[in-house]
Amino acid sequence: MSSLTVDVIVVNYNTRERTIECLSSVLDQRIPGLSVILVDNGSSDGSAGAIAAAHPSVTIVDIGENIGFARGVNRGVAASVADYILLLNPDASVFPGSLEALVAFAEAHPENGVYGGRTVGEDGSLDPSSCWGAPTLWSLTSFATGLSTLFKRSPLFDPESLGAWQRDTVREVPVITGCLMLARRRDWDAVGGMDERFFLYGEDAEFSARARSQGLRPVIVPEAVIRHDVGGSTGSTGRKMAMVMAGKVTYLRLVWPALPALWGVLLLQAGAGVRAALEAVSRSRRRTWRDTWTHRRAWRRGYPAAERTLFGREPATVPRPLRVQAEPAFRTEAANPYNGTLYRALQRRGARVSDLSYWRLLIEPTDVVHLHWPDLSFLSGSRRAIHVARLVLFYGALRIVRPRGTVLVWTVHNVTSHEERSSAPIRRAAERLLLRNVDGIIGLTEQGVEAAREAYPGLHEVPAAVTPHGHYRDDYGFGVPREQARAALGLPQDGPVVATVGQIRAYKNIPHLIRVFRSLPTDAVLLIAGSASPAELEAEIREAAGEDPRIVLRLRFLPDDELAATLAAADLVVLPYSRIQNSGSAILAASADRPVLVPDLGAMRELRAQLGDRWVRLYDGELDAADLHDAVAWATRDDRPAAVDLSALDWDAIASQTLTAYRDFRSRSRRAASPVKTRVPAARARS
């Protein structure tokens, strides 16, 4: 596993000896980078003390009460800082080599995101419970009529069992169960962890459904094998089946639309009734289904209500997660990690976030639709008919879902678009639709909110909040030494390097920067890195650079490692933009601990106040030779701290402010028919 770290999360409840055996099967293998976090759900059998004595290296989270599996898992994950999260049941034992195989597969196939293995019984025979097919109306109809039992493991009548497949080949599956489930921490946060409305059973199926909705593809790795003693902490079979049914009902109500979910619950009850009747007619000593049928009033409502009858306790108060569809959320993070990092931070605070889908907007309850760059979302591409269709579909769907309380939020990154897209009439129509429908705006700075309201007077009546642009320190490998970076890029080891990085567009004024640099009698190197568009701009840049040996052009898309190396090699990053509101490139440079020179425009003064004048330098008017000369001298002084203090751009704080803004916008919405009644003032909100 090399330098990777894995935290194994085990949730224990009154299975002391079996849990100690489980932990021994993991720890005795002495796998580098692997640690164990044991969550004890208020066991009465002395589990916490016995486990601490048997395995002192285990981190124990003692809850003090039985909070269930989903909540227990989330408490364990909250105590973890590893690269990977591995869920393991306390009634499981891990075969040697299995965990290494699971992690190696995950590293080789990051697109899958969620990974399971093969489970066997004590005699080595297959236990199919490591994975399942997802419920469908057909599979539940087969259950209701008894066909799934009569034709067990039939691909037609028992599709959730996945047929006779022995879990002995790599295969993508709908559901990975929590007895053995591996996920990269980043993916875990993006999916949002286990839904705490579940108490026991069903939470892993719902987690898998959310993972699939975000483009992940859960997969079985047959080389990862555990022995699994199913149901070690759930008592009698009738009680266990009632909990399983409560989990299934909860899954249907959370994942399926309302009418199919209602029909699915009725089919589950019918199936339980058929099996209870068969037990009675056959005078079976087993009472599994008769007990399940007797307790149907408890489980047919699902969790958390089922906790009252099944466990004799009041359901935990779990706030309903805020449901957000963002455009974009995660789909663009290969080009810019900003959105993905923001929404993973929101997920850590319990929100459910997905990329915007017009269809999903119609069929799934959604609290907030969050737009970032509307012109890119609706007006990209050259076909104007598609632009019109996108606008009609989006705003039509938004109008339909307004009565559910859905609100529209716009983060105003730029007051005006950097590029004119589509035709002027379509652009005007898109602007009118946005301004008529938006319920709240978010600015990255106070000045950004003021500029937006000045540009669009209609926004004076719209609530606003300020949430900063977060840093990029955790998104790139910025640890490359300067000497190594310069060698990799073919740059001289001595002398200053001035760089500008990112997508190159006309407003970024790069030809002017080149001309100013060439006027300086300096031994510095100017590095221009990033793809230039359109082609005429690239030609202008090459002409401006001429044959000057001090200018290095890398006019192409930069992969993450090369972007990090470019910043590591630089002494100063210059962004000579002719217009600017906010700058992700400036924050990117600061995240790499590189000083930056920017124009005194837009919100750059606020950025200097956030990061300090040792890291952000402003110039007035158009960049000239004196500005650049003085900035190089400023950047190469040796009195600068080793790292930028980025606490003002912390993503977790930004996520908290964003959620507060969402709640405020929902409470103040003038359009939604059912706005929330609780008023929560937005952080740094503006009326």
Side-chain angles (χ1 to χ4, degrees):
M1 293 182 356
S2 65
S3 61
L4 293 171
T5 54
V6 179
D7 278 340
V8 179
I9 312 294
V10 179
V11 179
N12 170 76
Y13 179 64
N14 287 335
T15 54
R16 181 183 62 191
E17 299 306 322
R18 186 64 184 90
T19 301
I20 291 174
E21 182 183 347
C22 165
L23 300 184
S24 296
S25 76
V26 174
L27 295 171
D28 289 353
Q29 297 183 47
R30 302 185 182 278
I31 302 171
L34 185 142
S35 301
V36 174
I37 297 174
L38 187 286
V39 180
D40 188 69
N41 268 349
S43 297
S44 58
D45 65 350
S47 286
I51 292 167
H55 298 294
S57 65
V58 171
T59 298
I60 297 179
V61 180
D62 193 347
I63 301 298
E65 62 173 322
N66 187 5
I67 61 173
F69 183 73
R71 299 165 207 158
V73 164
N74 287 346
R75 301 308 181 274
V77 173
S80 167
V81 294
D83 300 316
Y84 281 92
I85 301 299
L86 176 69
L87 308 188
L88 183 65
N89 268 18
D91 52 4
S93 296
V94 180
F95 285 29
S98 295
L99 300 187
E100 295 97 325
L102 202 58
V103 174
F105 187 94
E107 283 291 288
H109 303 276
E111 68 279 3
N112 291 108
V114 183
Y115 310 85
R118 189 170 187 264
T119 56
V120 298
E122 191 170 356
D123 61 357
S125 62
L126 174 70
D127 164 20
S129 64
S130 66
C131 59
W132 298 106
T136 64
L137 282 176
W138 170 248
S139 73
L140 295 183
T141 299
S142 296
F143 172 77
T145 57
L147 291 172
S148 60
T149 300
L150 187 60
F151 299 100
K152 199 167 183 61
R153 297 199 181 183
S154 161
L156 178 60
F157 296 114
D158 188 19
E160 291 182 38
S161 71
L162 302 178
W165 173 49
Q166 295 293 298
R167 279 62 171 167
D168 53 357
T169 56
V170 172
R171 178 171 167 179
E172 293 178 6
V173 295
V175 176
I176 299 288
T177 59
C179 66
L180 179 67
M181 176 191 286
L182 178 77
R184 187 177 287 100
R185 179 58 185 261
R186 182 177 183 136
D187 291 328
W188 178 276
D189 290 341
V191 175
M194 292 292 178
D195 192 313
E196 297 194 2
R197 284 170 289 186
F198 289 87
F199 190 86
L200 190 62
Y201 297 114
E203 62 284 297
D204 42 16
E206 192 274 339
F207 178 88
S208 297
R210 271 185 285 131
R212 296 198 314 275
S213 73
Q214 295 195 17
L216 301 179
R217 309 201 306 266
V219 65
I220 288 296
V221 182
E223 292 80 13
V225 185
I226 63 171
R227 191 190 94 216
H228 185 210
D229 306 332
V230 181
S233 61
T234 55
S236 70
T237 56
R239 184 166 177 263
K240 173 189 171 183
M241 188 54 66
M243 289 186 281
V244 170
M245 298 297 275
K248 287 180 178 291
V249 170
T250 309
Y251 171 92
L252 296 178
R253 289 183 170 171
L254 291 177
V255 176
W256 288 15
L259 286 178
L262 175 60
W263 184 244
V265 173
L266 293 175
L267 291 172
L268 286 173
Q269 291 182 83
V274 167
R275 286 160 178 77
L278 289 174
E279 278 186 352
V281 169
S282 64
R283 298 183 180 180
S284 171
R285 292 185 178 181
R286 298 185 61 183
R287 295 189 53 87
T288 301
W289 287 105
R290 279 175 284 181
D291 290 345
T292 304
W293 177 253
T294 300
H295 291 107
R296 65 189 182 281
R297 290 185 178 179
W299 57 257
R300 69 186 180 190
R301 296 174 57 195
Y303 293 122
E307 286 183 47
R308 184 177 294 110
T309 301
L310 294 177
F311 298 95
R313 53 173 281 164
E314 287 300 309
T317 302
V318 181
R320 182 180 64 77
L322 202 67
R323 296 158 298 195
V324 181
Q325 291 197 47
E327 173 50 35
F330 304 103
R331 63 178 180 80
T332 59
E333 61 183 330
N336 184 349
Y338 167 86
N339 293 70
T341 306
L342 169 63
Y343 291 119
R344 268 188 291 276
L346 290 181
Q347 295 271 36
R348 289 195 292 272
R349 275 153 181 73
R352 295 287 174 77
V353 185
S354 63
D355 284 281
L356 175 66
S357 159
Y358 302 152
W359 173 245
R360 195 163 54 243
L361 180 60
L362 288 171
I363 66 172
E364 294 183 4
T366 301
D367 299 308
V368 177
V369 176
H370 192 166
L371 299 181
H372 287 269
W373 297 277
D375 57 319
L376 288 173
S377 298
F378 303 124
L379 307 182
S380 59
S382 59
R383 301 182 65 178
R384 296 176 183 176
I386 292 180
H387 302 168
V388 173
R390 289 175 183 151
L391 292 170
V392 170
L393 287 171
F394 173 70
Y395 287 104
L398 186 65
R399 183 171 183 177
I400 291 171
V401 302
R402 282 291 194 192
R404 304 177 192 165
T406 303
V407 297
L408 179 64
V409 176
W410 175 27
T411 291
V412 189
H413 294 271
N414 306 293
V415 172
T416 58
S417 175
H418 295 316
E419 302 174 31
E420 289 193 348
R421 299 175 181 274
S422 196
S423 65
I426 294 177
R427 289 199 305 272
R428 288 193 296 270
E431 180 181 307
R432 286 195 301 270
L433 286 167
L434 176 61
L435 297 179
R436 287 175 184 172
N437 283 278
V438 69
D439 296 284
I441 61 170
I442 293 177
L444 302 182
T445 62
E446 295 282 356
Q447 193 278 337
V449 171
E450 294 170 2
R453 286 178 164 169
E454 182 178 348
Y456 307 106
L459 293 180
H460 283 283
E461 304 300 320
V462 176
V466 175
T467 66
H469 188 309
H471 64 77
Y472 291 110
R473 181 163 284 168
D474 301 326
D475 296 298
Y476 297 92
F478 288 131
V480 180
R482 176 186 175 196
E483 296 76 14
Q484 180 181 332
R486 290 193 174 190
L489 298 173
L491 301 175
Q493 293 292 336
D494 299 324
V497 171
V498 178
T500 187
V501 298
Q503 292 183 336
I504 301 173
R505 300 295 182 262
Y507 74 92
K508 295 190 176 182
N509 221 8
I510 301 304
H512 176 72
L513 169 63
I514 294 173
R515 289 189 285 269
V516 170
F517 177 83
R518 293 189 67 179
S519 71
L520 291 176
T522 176
D523 61 351
V525 170
L526 176 62
L527 174 59
I528 311 292
S531 61
S533 180
E536 293 79 8
L537 176 59
E538 179 176 342
E540 183 182 356
I541 290 171
R542 294 190 183 280
E543 181 179 355
E547 300 299 324
D548 194 323
R550 302 173 301 166
I551 299 175
V552 177
L553 301 180
R554 294 181 176 272
L555 303 182
R556 54 181 172 76
F557 173 78
L558 300 181
D560 289 356
D561 57 345
E562 191 170 339
L563 177 62
T566 299
L567 291 168
D571 295 291
L572 172 69
V573 174
V574 180
L575 306 175
Y577 300 172
S578 59
R579 64 180 188 274
I580 188 173
Q581 183 59 48
N582 306 288
S583 177
S585 295
I587 292 172
L588 177 66
S591 300
D593 299 316
R594 290 297 178 263
V596 61
L597 176 66
V598 290
D600 188 4
L601 297 172
M604 294 302 97
R605 286 195 182 189
E606 287 187 54
L607 182 65
R608 183 177 64 179
Q610 290 170 328
L611 302 182
D613 57 11
R614 291 186 176 185
W615 295 102
V616 179
R617 183 181 179 94
L618 306 179
Y619 65 88
D620 292 321
E622 191 169 56
L623 180 73
D624 61 25
D627 294 325
L628 187 57
H629 176 273
D630 293 346
V632 171
W634 164 78
T636 52
R637 292 201 309 246
D638 57 7
D639 62 346
R640 184 172 287 103
V644 184
D645 179 0
L646 296 174
S647 57
L649 309 181
D650 177 72
W651 281 108
D652 287 326
I654 293 166
S656 180
Q657 294 167 9
T658 303
L659 287 173
T660 303
Y662 285 164
R663 297 186 184 104
D664 181 61
F665 297 156
R666 295 188 70 223
S667 71
R668 301 168 67 179
S669 172
R670 299 167 297 170
R671 298 178 178 86
S674 304
V676 293
K677 295 180 179 179
T678 303
R679 174 69 179 275
V680 183
R684 299 177 65 193
R686 300 166 59 92
S687 59

